[in-house]
Amino acid sequence: MTTSTHLMRRKRFLPLMVTQFFNAFNDNLYKTALVLFVVYTVYNDEQQEALFSGLASVIFIVPFVTLSALAGQLADTRDKAAIIRVVKICEIGWATLGAVGLFMAWQGIAVDTVAIPLLLFVVFLAAAQSTFLGPIKYAILPQHLKKEEVLPGTGLIEAGTYIAILAGTILAGFIAVEVAMVLIVLTAIVGYLISRQVPEAPPQSDYQMHYPLLEPYAKKVGNPVMRWLGYPAVAVADQALMSWRLVRDTMHNREIFLAIIAISFFWTIGAVLFIQFPPLAKNQLLASKEVASLFLVIFSIGIAIGSVGINALLKGEVSAKYSPASVIVMGLFVAGFYFVAKAWVPNAAGQLLPIEQWILEPLAIPLSLMLLGISTAGGFFVVPLYAFLTTRCEHDAASRTIAANNIVNSLAMVVGSLIAIGMTSLGIPVVEQLLLAAAMSVISAWLGLLLYRAEKDAAAERERCLPSEFVK
């Protein structure tokens, strides 16, 4: 029996993986249904569509920047399983609001003034819920799994997450919006019920939060009126201070620092690509929303393949030795995707092709294979880097390390999204923006190389410091 099969049969792992699966499924079902509905039904202009897709991405990222520090602190000082259950209850709330917004947009009720702002607000709430779950899904693994099980467990969580993204994205593209609004609520309820089976995971130290965020605000602002006005400002300032300290305290380990930077740059590339897919499918390829959904599906399949494949290649070892080559290959596939998309000849009728007709186009298969190559190489690159975060930090700081990673990742993705929005505002066609993602892969390879060198230096230092009888 393989380690992965063994883990899938254990209560100490399976409920966590299934809970995360439904969380990622629901996030992507809602967000993809929203973006595809607006791009294909509400707007009819490439620039507006790309701007909306970028705006939704930025809003989704903001909570990871503003709340990750608090999420990491809570996860390291409270029972992680209890936090999972609380955030899954919150998911039922945002799913209900999202269903209301989708219903209003579907029925044409105050679409621009109420429905779309409400839908974007729910994007923020969904991201906030995922922010609090994010540090836990990796940090709980060393607490419930044996040392040799952590990398396979990380790979399974990552693969399961992208299979969930795949499932949610498929459904969002192929089901009617009225079905989506019911399904997101049902999924939230099922996810909460499964989360109740996650074993307890109490804090592993007496670490206490020493940041000012949880201090009474009344002590900070004396005047009652100014206290009311100053509450949001003080909260934001405290959270920013907590985030800065969390990132600063995590970065003292060079391996962790470089892993976080490399992961962040990878997801910057991913953010640029994800923003481009819906308007690219509609305007460059003249394809239906099912094809736009297919692009996201192929991307998710590739990440899942890469997540499992790199674990088999490394045989349980946590190492970045394949990361530089992997991301260079990814960049070459991005360039190939660009050239195939540029060579695409739209159908003579000028109509949006359904998926069963689009797939018969001469360049459809090459384009799909390029996209699969991008994401598979990306999975090979990024999964070992996540394992670095939980295996190279102190055992009682895993949640804070993941939270710091989320903060830096999110800031990088915001920058990438804003760059994509800026290029769209300047009138640069969406297809031409693919070249930016290809060029950024070179920088990711350099970061991966620096991490591998730091890994070898750290291993040599550990060997030097061991007593001679322990050195093989």
Side-chain angles (χ1 to χ4, degrees), residues 398-422:
S399 294
R400 279 168 281 147
T401 302
I402 296 295
N405 173 67
N406 288 345
I407 292 169
V408 181
N409 288 182
S410 301
L411 286 171
M413 291 170 73
V414 166
V415 171
S417 299
L418 292 177
I419 290 173
I421 290 173

Side-chain angles (χ1 to χ4, degrees), residues 436-448:
L436 172 66
M440 292 170 68
S441 300
V442 177
I443 301 177
S444 288
W446 174 66
L447 292 170

